[in-house]
Amino acid sequence: MFVSVAAFLGLFAVAAVTSETIIDLGDERWILQNPSLDISVPGSVPSHAHLDLLENKIIDEPTYGLGDLELRWIAYANWTYLSPAISGLITSSDISTYLVFNGIDTFANISFCDQSIGTTNNQFRQWTFDVTSILSNCTKPPALALSFISAPVMANYLGNLSNPTLNCSTCFEAQYEFTDRLFIRKEQSDFGWDWGPAFAPAGIWQPAYIVQLKHKEIYVLNSMVDIYRRGQLNNLPPDQTEPWIVNASVDYLGALPDGTGMRTTIMDTSGQIFLSGPLSDVITANGTITGDVLVDKTPDLWWPSGHGDQNLYNMTLEIVDGQNKSLASVQKRIGFRTIVLNQGVITDEQSSQGIAPGANWHFEINGHEIFCKGSNLVPLDPFWPRVTEDDMEFLIKSAIAANQNMLRVWASGSYLPDFFYDMADEYGLLLWSELEFSDALYPTVPSFLSNVREEAQYHIRRLNHHPSLALWAGNNEIELGLDILTEEDPESTVSAKQQYEKLFLDVLLHTVYDNSRSISYSPSSTTNGYISLNHSAPLPMVERYINLSAGSIYGDSDYYNYDPTQAFNISSYPVARFANEFGFHSQPSYQTWSSSIPASELHFNSSTILSRNHHYTLNTSTFLTSAVDPPVPENQTEMSLGGMGQLSQATLMYFPVARKLDRRANFTAQIYTTQIFQSEFDRSQIAAYRRGSGQAQRTLGALYWQLNDIWAAPTWSSIEVGGRWKLLHYGARDIFKPVVIAPYFDVESGTLEVWVTSDLWQPINGSATLRWYDWSGKALANGTETHVQVGPINSTSVWTLNTTALPFALDNAVAILSVDATRQDGKKYNHTHPFYPIPFSSDRVQQNLHDPKLRLSYSVKQQTFTVESQAVAAWVWLEHPVGVRGYFTDNGFWMLPGKRDVQFVTQRDDTKGEWVHEVTVSSLWDLTQP
Ligand SMILES: *[C@@H]1O[C@H](CO)[C@@H](O)[C@H](O)[C@H]1NC(C)=O
Ligand SMILES: *[C@@H]1O[C@H](CO)[C@@H](O)[C@H](O)[C@H]1NC(C)=O
Ligand SMILES: *[C@@H]1O[C@H](CO)[C@@H](O)[C@H](O)[C@H]1NC(C)=O
Ligand SMILES: *[C@@H]1O[C@H](CO)[C@@H](O)[C@H](O)[C@H]1NC(C)=O
Ligand SMILES: *[C@@H]1O[C@H](CO)[C@@H](O)[C@H](O)[C@H]1NC(C)=O
Ligand SMILES: *[C@@H]1O[C@H](CO)[C@@H](O)[C@H](O)[C@H]1NC(C)=O
């Protein structure tokens, strides 16, 4: 179960080559204890108490059934992790001994040889303790004890206004299951979120070591490599003709002798030395040694997926003594690229191209604008120590397979391990990364700020060398929340803003700028950007907030609308430079539900399924002020008003009502329609934001909410817990293709516009066709074909037509739009998109539908499924049984009469290949049948 130790060390683990003694505390036989609950069981490091209780069969799988509610006692209890007497330690007067914890979750009193050595209060920090003198006085082999205090209890204690430690009368939070999360530095979603459970686990969740150093020996705690163009400043596009500078530093334990220096060797892909030699300007201070080197050669640049190769270099960084003997060495895999979040004012040149005034808000990679296609990442599990490298790699591969080039690592999970960034470097996936603050106004007392500074500095330095690292954002949605509050009550927002700026525009901005020149910083995920940026000012960035000029466009958008009548009304979507959050929820598959809840609960709105819906509120624009009025519902009637009610309203409005008598069939029908609605709504927005690249708003990004799930529940995800792709993930894969054709329909007037959009960096040329069919699959009149040409990252209107003037009944008509195009270098692209003017909830449409008589066959030899249809089949859906993880090369597609071949990309198969015989196929037609 605890296979992931390596995951947190990373592919290229920090490693020192000297002969110091390191004892991995993960190898010791720990005990997990709670005397008042009469529990004493074997424990692990790294782990969480929940996982050790599970391992010892004290509890069942926490995410099964009602575990979220029934296991609160674990979160409210105090747990102690006890090590055995640790043997093998050297006791000699010239040895220094340290405890190094790469992460403790969260509040622990630590004792060593029965002496208290310190307390911890931040899940995200690395902690070190010098225990040299305690060890020298210890009369027996020493043992360690970590006594954890309940995080929810501690949060309430620190948030209590009568407690002077952190009390903050102006603080507030969007509140979920446990309250006062803002007063503690722990994964904020551990206290519940609208897509997740609240377990608030405790434990030594990252590797831990005892380190013993002799004279001149040092231990590497952390290291940082910053690669930038000479003269580059954060947030500003650098001069691409300047040479590269590699700045590197190492944070260490121990004492460096005088005359210590640094040297590096950088190897290219072919194993040749690209650069080798000493670093200049070496400075040693405060446990850190830093130096830099000017690169006098031209490296092969790193590019994100779809825009070039992911060229990587292996770097060895060494600390050397005066005789050039290596004292410590660190391996890192690096890449040369610049990435900037450009928020500059719209230039005259841009205006002359038709771009609306205001400010930019887009990414530039190596000096090129890029359209970012992607999604938002939430924690993979409530218990990180059991997340495997396979789980992480599958998500990255799935994002890449869905034509995504960016993920936003959302601000209230955890900082991710190096392994995740290493994989993203390899696959070319940009990671917009966030510091862990979300939907709350946080305290700003000095002790809180210094705790936060330590946390941020550790991860900013740890991750900076990854070419996939695209941005540091300070928080999730807090600026948006402040803007909403300012509009309601400008007076009372003044002090909130000061507090906000202290944390996000002073402390955290400086922590990024002090440690990196290569990475841009944005205080908040959703923002109207800055008004001014001056690196020499004490507060370099001045935010725009809602000081907007009419007719100007700024910043990025965060948009949710649960009124289903507006879902396909394109004029209701936000018009911004970038769309960083939007989406709708849906049910996970029957297979995923069946692994997570008892069989008796596997039916429409069963009480367990209702309890998994944590999206209680009807109006999300109140997300911040909801602290005043906690959204937790009183009863099941109220629960069904929020998320569950929205799912029903949306599906009833657009799809046939399931009239299945069989409970399973009826539930499966609801799952399927919620997944279609989610996919269609998200796709409609993605198409609109992509089209915006060629309109005045010059939109250059669309990241839907959310990529993955933490458990089985009705959520916004496109991939279910366990890895099964929802219909949305296939839908996103399709609409994120480089060149797409899409309909933009105005229901009121009946006007259909068809546009072709391309995010390629070279122009494309080709043809677009529009063909009408009736539901039997018979071609209707009035098809059309035309030449199309689209410039780099642009869109073109192909047709505008009046559907009310067509010579056939719209309730028996579907248009198939398609584009075939060629890039300058000869590479070919194609895309098709169905368009139907009248929703399937219409009785007349339902009467006109034909049974496609779908047939599925499998060829063992070709490892290919073939679907055969005899009429138009909408959202043809292949489902595989549990026991296999992977994805179909196509799914959720439409068919005209004919055949379609589909393969399956397998990551893991526990069925020895038997699963292929249990794949099913269905389509919208099946919903209309009893
Ligand atoms: C947990 O420890 C704290 C601090 O010592 C104490 O106040 C609290 O009562 C303990 N809780 C339980 C359930 O024992
Ligand atoms: C260790 O023992 C020495 C001598 O008894 C004493 O002076 C010193 O304070 C002790 N140190 C600790 C950390 O207990
Ligand atoms: C870097 O080192 C790793 C591990 O030794 C090796 O697998 C990889 O091929 C190297 N990559 C380059 C670019 O040299
Ligand atoms: C070392 O730390 C001290 C105290 O925090 C600080 O004043 C000083 O600037 C630091 N030195 C360097 C070179 O960072
Ligand atoms: C559920 O709560 C709502 C509002 O709090 C209340 O109006 C309703 O009567 C309650 N329903 C039941 C069945 O208790
Ligand atoms: C069948 O599902 C629909 C929603 O799709 C729901 O309204 C209805 O209550 C369900 N019927 C049964 C018997 O579960």
Side-chain angles (χ1 to χ4, degrees):
M1 168 172 293
F2 307 113
V3 290
S4 62
V5 177
F8 287 93
L9 288 174
L11 196 62
F12 294 94
V14 167
V17 291
T18 48
S19 58
E20 76 279 86
T21 306
I22 299 174
I23 292 182
D24 183 345
L25 290 169
D27 296 337
E28 303 293 327
R29 294 168 162 268
W30 289 80
I31 302 282
L32 171 66
Q33 270 192 356
N34 182 313
S36 52
L37 294 170
D38 200 20
I39 293 174
S40 179
V41 293
S44 302
V45 172
S47 186
H48 273 135
H50 286 80
L51 296 177
D52 289 327
L53 295 172
L54 172 64
E55 183 72 15
N56 290 287
K57 304 196 164 50
I58 307 284
I59 60 169
D60 293 329
E61 167 54 44
T63 60
Y64 189 81
L66 297 173
D68 172 35
L69 303 168
E70 291 169 352
L71 298 179
R72 295 277 156 90
W73 60 272
I74 304 176
Y76 283 122
N78 298 328
W79 296 96
T80 299
Y81 275 91
L82 296 171
S83 82
I86 295 162
S87 55
L89 290 174
I90 307 160
T91 45
S92 137
S93 59
D94 64 342
I95 296 251
S96 302
T97 304
Y98 302 89
L99 299 177
V100 177
F101 295 93
N102 284 350
I104 295 178
D105 185 8
T106 294
F107 297 100
N109 286 309
I110 307 176
S111 70
F112 182 68
C113 192
D114 301 325
Q115 293 214 32
S116 177
I117 57 165
T119 59
T120 62
N121 64 351
N122 188 331
Q123 173 182 3
F124 305 118
R125 280 176 64 180
Q126 182 188 44
W127 299 94
T128 59
F129 301 94
D130 184 342
V131 292
T132 310
S133 71
I134 294 180
L135 184 63
S136 67
N137 280 16
C138 200
T139 53
K140 55 186 177 186
L144 263 166
L146 282 84
S147 303
F148 288 87
I149 298 173
S150 155
V153 170
M154 197 66 177
N156 292 156
Y157 170 76
L158 293 169
N160 187 330
L161 290 185
S162 64
N163 170 358
T165 328
L166 286 183
N167 90 49
C168 172
S169 56
T170 47
C171 290
F172 54 79
E173 66 178 318
Q175 192 174 297
Y176 297 96
E177 265 71 7
F178 295 118
T179 57
D180 292 332
R181 61 183 168 81
L182 66 161
F183 296 102
I184 67 169
R185 294 309 302 145
K186 174 170 173 56
E187 177 164 296
Q188 300 281 281
S189 65
D190 281 352
F191 275 33
W193 216 266
D194 53 5
W195 39 258
F199 288 107
I204 306 164
W205 74 299
Q206 297 276 1
Y209 307 94
I210 298 180
V211 174
Q212 295 203 289
L213 303 176
K214 291 202 275 291
H215 177 60
K216 273 182 82 167
E217 285 181 345
I218 59 175
Y219 176 80
V220 175
L221 290 169
N222 197 12
S223 55
M224 195 274 325
V225 175
D226 195 26
I227 301 176
Y228 51 88
R229 297 279 189 183
R230 189 169 61 189
Q232 183 171 346
L233 292 173
N234 311 75
N235 289 71
L236 294 176
D239 181 344
Q240 298 290 336
T241 64
E242 285 288 337
W244 294 95
I245 291 178
V246 176
N247 181 291
S249 66
V250 176
D251 306 329
Y252 59 88
L253 285 176
L256 288 177
D258 288 344
T260 303
M262 294 174 90
R263 74 175 175 226
T264 186
T265 303
I266 300 178
M267 311 284 284
D268 70 16
T269 342
S270 58
Q272 303 295 308
I273 292 177
F274 171 73
L275 185 151
S276 181
L279 269 54
S280 325
D281 311 319
V282 175
I283 297 172
T284 307
N286 297 345
T288 295
I289 181 166
T290 303
D292 54 39
V293 58
L294 183 101
V295 180
D296 56 1
K297 285 188 191 162
T298 307
D300 292 327
L301 301 182
W302 182 93
W303 299 95
S305 173
H307 294 290
D309 295 334
Q310 288 74 55
N311 293 305
L312 295 167
Y313 292 79
N314 281 340
M315 175 172 185
T316 305
L317 180 64
E318 285 171 293
I319 301 175
V320 290
D321 67 11
Q323 288 74 50
N324 218 21
K325 183 173 157 283
S326 184
L327 300 175
S329 152
V330 173
Q331 303 286 327
K332 297 208 161 217
R333 197 177 51 191
I334 56 166
F336 292 83
R337 59 89 183 89
T338 65
I339 179 119
V340 173
L341 171 58
N342 184 341
Q343 299 182 33
V345 175
I346 295 295
T347 62
D348 291 345
E349 192 194 338
Q350 287 181 302
S351 301
S352 72
Q353 294 161 352
I355 297 178
N360 288 286
W361 208 97
H362 68 256
F363 289 88
E364 289 174 14
I365 177 90
N366 298 326
H368 291 258
E369 288 182 351
I370 178 175
F371 193 102
C372 297
K373 302 182 290 192
S375 51
N376 288 268
L377 183 91
V378 301
L380 280 68
D381 194 295
F383 312 103
W384 280 105
R386 69 175 173 180
V387 174
T388 66
E389 293 183 0
D390 271 0
D391 297 336
M392 292 187 256
E393 187 169 7
F394 186 69
L395 282 186
I396 288 176
K397 280 185 171 165
S398 295
I400 293 288
N403 292 306
Q404 305 190 11
N405 57 28
M406 177 179 270
L407 297 182
R408 177 176 157 233
V409 182
W410 173 76
S412 278
S414 172
Y415 303 94
L416 296 182
D418 268 285
F419 177 82
F420 198 93
Y421 285 81
D422 274 320
M423 283 290 125
D425 294 344
E426 266 176 42
Y427 286 94
L429 193 61
L430 293 166
L431 297 177
W432 158 338
S433 303
E434 299 191 342
L435 307 171
E436 309 299 341
F437 300 86
S438 193
D439 295 344
L441 192 60
Y442 287 83
T444 45
V445 296
S447 59
F448 188 85
L449 294 179
S450 63
N451 196 4
V452 158
R453 200 181 282 113
E454 291 290 331
E455 158 195 338
Q457 169 145 314
Y458 174 60
H459 296 286
I460 288 165
R461 293 173 66 74
R462 180 173 68 84
L463 296 171
N464 196 68
H465 64 284
H466 293 284
S468 57
L469 177 65
L471 174 72
W472 280 113
N475 69 68
N476 168 61
E477 290 177 335
I478 305 179
E479 187 174 313
L480 176 65
L482 285 178
D483 289 347
I484 294 169
L485 293 180
T486 308
E487 274 172 41
E488 287 167 3
D489 181 1
E491 290 296 305
S492 70
T493 324
V494 173
S495 64
K497 256 186 195 155
Q498 284 168 353
Q499 204 176 324
Y500 174 82
E501 295 195 347
K502 181 74 200 159
L503 181 54
F504 297 106
L505 285 146
D506 183 359
V507 172
L508 291 172
L509 176 142
H510 281 117
T511 311
V512 174
Y513 282 14
D514 289 351
N515 285 286
S516 172
R517 295 176 73 162
S518 59
I519 296 298
S520 300
Y521 175 76
S522 174
S524 200
S525 57
T526 305
T527 163
N528 289 321
Y530 59 70
I531 283 184
S532 67
L533 179 69
N534 173 1
H535 284 81
S536 19
L539 290 182
M541 206 179 261
V542 178
E543 287 291 83
R544 186 181 313 278
Y545 299 114
I546 51 174
N547 300 314
L548 313 175
S549 305
S552 291
I553 297 174
Y554 308 94
D556 58 343
S557 64
D558 179 325
Y559 174 72
Y560 296 94
N561 190 340
Y562 297 100
D563 173 358
T565 65
Q566 296 306 302
F568 304 104
N569 174 6
I570 290 158
S571 66
S572 67
Y573 302 164
V575 174
R577 304 292 186 190
F578 196 107
N580 64 306
E581 272 198 39
F582 57 91
F584 201 84
H585 46 313
S586 71
Q587 289 277 20
S589 65
Y590 190 89
Q591 292 83 346
T592 293
W593 272 126
S594 67
S595 312
S596 301
I597 63 175
S600 59
E601 292 294 294
L602 283 166
H603 57 90
F604 178 76
N605 283 4
S606 71
S607 57
T608 305
I609 284 173
L610 285 184
S611 81
R612 294 274 175 127
N613 164 49
H614 288 190
H615 172 48
Y616 315 117
T617 46
L618 293 171
N619 183 355
T620 49
S621 76
T622 59
F623 73 93
L624 268 177
T625 45
S626 65
V628 184
D629 180 18
V632 179
E634 296 282 315
N635 57 43
Q636 290 200 349
T637 315
E638 271 194 12
M639 264 187 202
S640 61
L641 286 176
M644 301 314 270
Q646 291 159 0
L647 291 180
S648 291
Q649 285 162 13
T651 49
L652 283 175
M653 182 157 294
Y654 294 98
F655 301 106
V657 185
R659 297 186 190 87
K660 311 278 185 199
L661 299 175
D662 175 59
R663 285 211 313 188
R664 172 172 180 165
N666 196 57
F667 184 35
T668 306
Q670 193 227 5
I671 292 167
Y672 175 64
T673 47
T674 63
Q675 288 201 14
I676 298 175
F677 178 80
Q678 176 195 33
S679 177
E680 289 299 285
F681 185 19
D682 283 19
R683 280 166 54 85
S684 173
Q685 289 191 67
I686 291 168
Y689 302 137
R690 289 196 62 185
R691 178 176 70 162
S693 66
Q695 297 177 306
Q697 59 266 36
R698 184 70 175 153
T699 304
L700 288 175
L703 311 180
Y704 66 84
W705 185 268
Q706 69 198 63
L707 176 69
N708 62 313
D709 262 336
I710 195 169
W711 68 335
T715 76
W716 297 255
S717 74
S718 65
I719 301 182
E720 299 170 13
V721 70
R724 181 181 294 264
W725 287 19
K726 282 180 174 172
L727 207 134
L728 168 60
H729 206 75
Y730 294 102
R733 172 184 224 211
D734 175 76
I735 200 68
F736 276 147
K737 286 176 93 172
V739 177
V740 290
I741 188 165
Y744 303 85
F745 187 49
D746 180 22
V747 181
E748 296 283 311
S749 65
T751 305
L752 171 66
E753 288 184 54
V754 177
W755 289 62
V756 172
T757 302
S758 165
D759 72 333
L760 298 170
W761 289 354
Q762 293 167 304
I764 52 151
N765 258 295
S767 66
T769 57
L770 183 162
R771 304 251 180 265
W772 290 97
Y773 300 87
D774 70 13
W775 288 109
S776 76
K778 188 162 69 65
L780 299 170
N782 288 54
T784 171
E785 174 162 0
T786 188
H787 174 253
V788 289
Q789 194 172 2
V790 188
I793 320 183
N794 213 333
S795 58
T796 303
S797 170
V798 186
W799 297 290
T800 301
L801 55 118
N802 179 358
T803 55
T804 62
L806 290 167
F808 41 74
L810 291 182
D811 52 39
N812 193 10
V814 53
I816 304 294
L817 315 171
S818 64
V819 60
D820 282 286
T822 309
R823 196 169 66 177
Q824 261 176 354
D825 62 359
K827 193 165 158 56
K828 296 202 181 309
Y829 296 87
N830 64 67
H831 183 239
T832 65
H833 199 304
F835 167 72
Y836 54 101
I838 316 264
F840 291 100
S841 47
S842 149
D843 288 340
R844 284 173 309 145
V845 172
Q846 287 177 35
Q847 281 152 20
N848 288 324
L849 290 179
H850 278 244
D851 183 354
K853 301 196 170 72
L854 292 182
R855 282 185 44 207
L856 179 70
S857 54
Y858 181 71
S859 155
V860 179
K861 205 166 140 217
Q862 262 110 43
Q863 301 199 345
T864 297
F865 295 93
T866 301
V867 187
E868 199 172 339
S869 177
Q870 298 189 16
V872 175
W875 297 294
V876 173
W877 189 231
L878 296 159
E879 275 192 293
H880 62 80
V882 293
V884 61
R885 175 149 78 182
Y887 55 89
F888 293 101
T889 51
D890 206 355
N891 206 356
F893 47 80
W894 286 48
M895 286 181 78
L896 289 168
K899 289 184 179 177
R900 185 121 157 193
D901 287 345
V902 173
Q903 278 94 32
F904 191 81
V905 178
T906 311
Q907 192 207 30
R908 196 179 68 213
D909 178 9
D910 301 331
T911 75
K912 300 194 173 70
E914 287 303 307
W915 67 273
V916 297
H917 306 300
E918 287 174 56
V919 174
T920 60
V921 68
S922 60
S923 74
L924 187 84
W925 165 262
D926 297 280
L927 281 182
T928 64
Q929 301 305 298

